[in-house]
Amino acid sequence: MAGVRDRNESAWLLPNDGSRTNHGLRRDMRRFADTDEIDMVIVGCGAGGSVLAQRLARAGWRVAALDAGPFWDPDTDWVSDEAGSHHLYWTEPRVIAGSDPVPMGSNNSGRGVGGSMVHYAGYTPRFHPSDFTTYSADGVGADWPLDYADLRPYYAAIEQELPVAGEHWPWGDPHGYPYRPHPVGGNGEVFLRGARKRGITAKVGPVAIVNGRFGNRPHCIYRGFCLQGCKVNAKASPLVTHVPDALARGAEIRADAMVTQVAIDRHTGLALGVHYMRDGRERFQRARMVAVAGYSIETPRLLLNSASSRFPDGLCNDFDQVGRYLMVQGAPQTAGRFDAEVRMYKAPPPEVSSEEFYETDPAKDYKRGFAIQTVSPLPITWAEHVAAQGHWGGALREYMSDYVHWSCLGALCEFLALPENRVTLAEEKDSHGLPVARFAYSQCDNDQALVEAAQAVMEDILHAAGADEVITIKRYAHLVGGARMAADEQHGVVDRDCRSFAVPNLYITDGSVLPTQGSANPALTIMAVAARAADHLTGTD
Ligand SMILES: Cc1cc2nc3c(=O)[nH]c(=O)nc-3n(C[C@H](O)[C@H](O)[C@H](O)COP(=O)(O)OP(=O)(O)OC[C@H]3O[C@@H](n4cnc5c(N)ncnc54)[C@H](O)[C@@H]3O)c2cc1C
Ligand code: SF4
């Protein structure tokens, strides 16, 4: 951990008086005029956008990150309550289509400073080296224009800044974590017991939840509200891990600013800045460079909504690549009932995981694999799980009153990147009069085979642990892709440094650029890719 404070002081810039927000830092932050030609304007202050803002501010760049949502204050804006946390989600209208449409909202995207990581679970695994070459190794997915070794130092740096706690990780590129593993609760114990009985290796972690004290961030109190926005500041999100340092180094974070278009000079073809809405007024921020980091749905949507005479089919879309190869992970969830109480709510939902089934197994008739993790839904999400099984009325009440006896595991299946799974613009308009995103999604045979295999393993683990009943629902998690990086402009939107092929001063630094997704939760990789892009921009790579 040596030197992390020298690189990122966020945790020490938070207050140490029981409150959660450094109001002075926000009040006194640098503010640019729209007419200032700043060095970089960033669209979106989530996982990718905030890391870029912090790195560039440290390098002395004049940078502003505009976010459509609020500048959250954990003390006043968040509650440790499921129903009271719906305002954390991006619930603007979106149209879904395809043979396997993906419901949008709570389980996939957030809004406001900190982005979706404000209500993400907190798992932070690395991708495996094999994720970067799935096409040449297995004939599926795509090869990245960079490889694992290019990201390794960025993984290690971000793991220190979050910081991540977990056991030594034996899978992929074996590595340790800066903080020791957390003690586990009832659900984690069930997973470890069942896995041990079946000879499956499962490990505690990796989670971006403070185990001990980190700067002025306190130890986790194990109350289990990680997906509601951690009021304690123990769970990492950019709001506490990168934004404070960005502000202290002169970045502006402009909340409640919805970017509607990236402006392009029709003579030079270069980006000039962004149009945005704030306080009901249309404004324009000039900038030398633009980075888009609005999440896998809103980033392609913004590019498509930024059509101009130079880019009549959408910005960066001359080769019909924008919005394509969008991926979700298949995320079936299996619950098991035990006679003894499990009380899965009494711990962070992210506790224990296994990547034993992550890689392609030549003995199977499908490619790539899946990971298994504890998920521990709170009561409303548990009711959704039970209702999705068709239980209603008296049966639903019975399952609900039995809640403390249930344990729940989730899988992340590597669904493949397919060109027809994409974002386009719908006829419908949002409150700004802009076409909303239409997201079409259809699974392939390999995707479905992975879900079946993952379900069988989870049910087996829960039975081995002693469950007398198991129930599984099918669901999705984690969108990535839609503006992927590639070797050339005929196969993607940005290059290995996140620079768009079409507009030399336009970058994309969020999950949209990922060409494949592995079976790993994506936030750590998104941050690592953004940190690498920042080094490229500042000439320190
Ligand atoms: C319930 C849930 C659980 C999750 N659990 C995990 C987990 O355990 N581990 C993990 O790794 N990942 C998890 N994720 C996923 C992870 O949070 C996301 O993959 C990651 O945050 C995406 O990063 P991003 O930079 O692409 O976008 P985001 O972090 O979503 O940031 C995008 C930001 O852009 C803003 N924005 C969008 N459009 C505009 C616009 N036009 N103008 C201005 N601002 C705009 C949004 O308000 C948002 O703040 C979870 C997500 C959810 C929702
Ligand atoms: S369980 Fe820990 S990390 Fe999760 S919300 Fe509570 S204090 Fe935060």
Side-chain angles (χ1 to χ4, degrees):
M1 293 294 281
V4 64
R5 187 174 179 177
D6 297 333
R7 289 187 278 115
N8 181 347
E9 212 174 1
S10 291
W12 291 266
L13 289 165
L14 293 166
N16 194 16
D17 60 3
S19 65
R20 310 291 171 205
T21 301
N22 185 333
H23 293 285
L25 206 51
R26 293 191 189 183
R27 186 189 58 234
D28 301 335
M29 77 175 155
R30 187 170 183 182
R31 288 184 169 79
F32 298 102
D34 284 339
T35 47
D36 289 341
E37 192 191 47
I38 60 176
D39 293 317
M40 176 72 89
V41 60
I42 302 171
V43 182
C45 197
S50 65
V51 170
L52 183 68
Q54 184 259 345
R55 293 323 205 234
L56 296 184
R58 279 232 155 205
W61 286 41
R62 288 150 39 95
V63 53
L66 276 53
D67 200 286
F71 210 147
W72 300 115
D73 178 348
D75 283 321
T76 54
D77 295 337
W78 300 345
V79 287
S80 295
D81 176 74
E82 266 187 296
S85 302
H86 287 286
H87 61 301
L88 298 179
Y89 314 143
W90 185 289
T91 49
E92 291 284 309
R94 287 158 168 171
V95 175
I96 55 173
S99 59
D100 304 287
V102 177
M104 304 300 296
S106 62
N107 195 37
N108 36 45
S109 63
R111 61 187 267 277
V113 178
S116 304
M117 284 181 77
V118 160
H119 67 114
Y120 84 145
Y123 276 118
T124 43
R126 297 184 186 186
F127 279 20
H128 288 199
S130 66
D131 287 318
F132 297 78
T133 55
T134 63
Y135 188 73
S136 47
D138 286 322
V140 296
D143 289 353
W144 292 45
L146 48 80
D147 58 30
Y148 176 84
D150 293 314
L151 278 192
R152 187 192 284 118
Y154 298 97
Y155 276 137
I158 299 284
E159 281 165 356
Q160 291 189 340
E161 290 167 55
L162 294 178
V164 181
E167 286 189 78
H168 184 269
W169 216 243
W171 298 287
D173 173 30
H175 57 277
Y177 287 110
Y179 271 57
R180 290 158 60 88
H182 286 270
V184 299
N187 201 20
E189 281 174 4
V190 166
F191 187 5
L192 289 169
R193 185 170 73 239
R196 206 164 34 243
K197 288 212 169 135
R198 285 291 179 262
I200 295 168
T201 305
K203 295 280 175 187
V204 182
V207 295
I209 295 176
V210 176
N211 186 7
R213 192 178 177 83
F214 181 64
N216 293 334
R217 287 173 55 202
H219 190 296
C220 170
I221 57 170
Y222 303 126
R223 281 181 61 213
F225 287 102
C226 311
L227 281 87
Q228 283 64 45
C230 173
K231 275 184 86 76
V232 175
N233 278 349
K235 189 193 76 173
S237 90
L239 194 68
V240 294
T241 61
H242 289 82
V243 165
D245 194 66
L247 293 178
R249 298 284 164 160
E252 177 184 351
I253 307 292
R254 204 175 300 167
D256 303 306
M258 170 75 187
V259 175
T260 54
Q261 194 178 24
V262 179
I264 299 291
D265 184 312
R266 66 192 166 93
H267 300 296
T268 63
L270 293 174
L272 297 168
V274 296
H275 295 277
Y276 68 101
M277 296 295 298
R278 199 175 196 217
D279 300 327
R281 230 164 35 85
E282 190 178 334
R283 294 167 55 167
F284 181 73
Q285 177 64 57
R286 296 180 64 213
R288 195 168 61 79
M289 290 186 163
V290 175
V292 182
Y295 190 75
S296 278
I297 297 289
E298 294 305 316
T299 287
R301 176 189 175 212
L302 179 62
L303 296 176
L304 295 172
N305 272 330
S306 299
S308 62
S309 55
R310 164 66 190 84
F311 294 100
D313 298 321
L315 188 52
C316 303
N317 200 26
D318 287 355
F319 292 88
D320 195 21
Q321 291 294 304
V322 170
R324 289 194 185 275
Y325 302 102
L326 224 140
M327 292 158 273
V328 289
Q329 282 167 329
Q333 203 168 275
T334 301
R337 190 195 176 281
F338 294 81
D339 281 341
E341 291 184 355
V342 177
R343 294 194 179 273
M344 61 180 161
Y345 61 89
K346 281 179 81 76
E351 293 191 278
V352 176
S353 38
S354 173
E355 293 177 2
E356 191 143 321
F357 306 94
Y358 194 109
E359 304 284 344
T360 296
D361 178 350
K364 306 287 188 205
D365 57 2
Y366 52 77
K367 305 289 186 193
R368 305 301 296 161
F370 52 90
I372 299 176
Q373 305 174 332
T374 52
V375 284
S376 307
L378 291 175
I380 293 178
T381 324
W382 172 240
E384 288 168 359
H385 184 123
V386 174
Q389 290 273 313
H391 299 296
W392 200 244
L396 175 60
R397 281 177 52 187
E398 203 172 307
Y399 275 102
M400 292 307 294
S401 54
D402 217 21
Y403 170 67
V404 296
H405 289 275
W406 285 84
S407 155
C408 200
L409 304 179
L412 293 178
C413 302
E414 178 174 348
F415 281 10
L416 299 175
L418 302 172
E420 56 276 16
N421 288 338
R422 75 179 302 189
V423 164
T424 51
L425 295 179
E427 297 289 317
E428 288 83 343
K429 307 265 172 61
D430 69 4
S431 55
H432 306 295
L434 290 172
V436 304
R438 177 184 185 277
F439 176 33
Y441 199 83
S442 304
Q443 295 173 24
C444 63
D445 291 346
N446 200 79
D447 299 342
Q448 287 165 2
L450 281 174
V451 171
E452 299 305 319
Q455 176 175 344
V457 172
M458 289 191 291
E459 291 181 355
D460 192 34
I461 290 172
L462 289 170
H463 279 308
D468 48 25
E469 180 187 354
V470 296
I471 53 175
T472 298
I473 57 164
K474 297 199 165 67
R475 52 191 279 288
Y476 297 112
H478 305 148
L479 278 75
V480 296
R484 69 178 184 176
M485 60 168 66
D488 61 59
E489 60 192 354
Q490 291 172 32
H491 297 94
V493 178
V494 298
D495 68 12
R496 67 200 301 270
D497 300 319
C498 298
R499 180 180 184 158
S500 76
F501 291 114
V503 181
N505 65 340
L506 175 67
Y507 284 71
I508 299 174
T509 59
D510 62 3
S512 313
V513 303
L514 272 46
T516 62
Q517 59 177 343
S519 313
N521 321 58
L524 181 81
T525 299
I526 294 169
M527 291 179 135
V529 166
R532 186 179 174 280
D535 272 4
H536 155 75
L537 280 160
T538 56
T540 44
D541 57 346

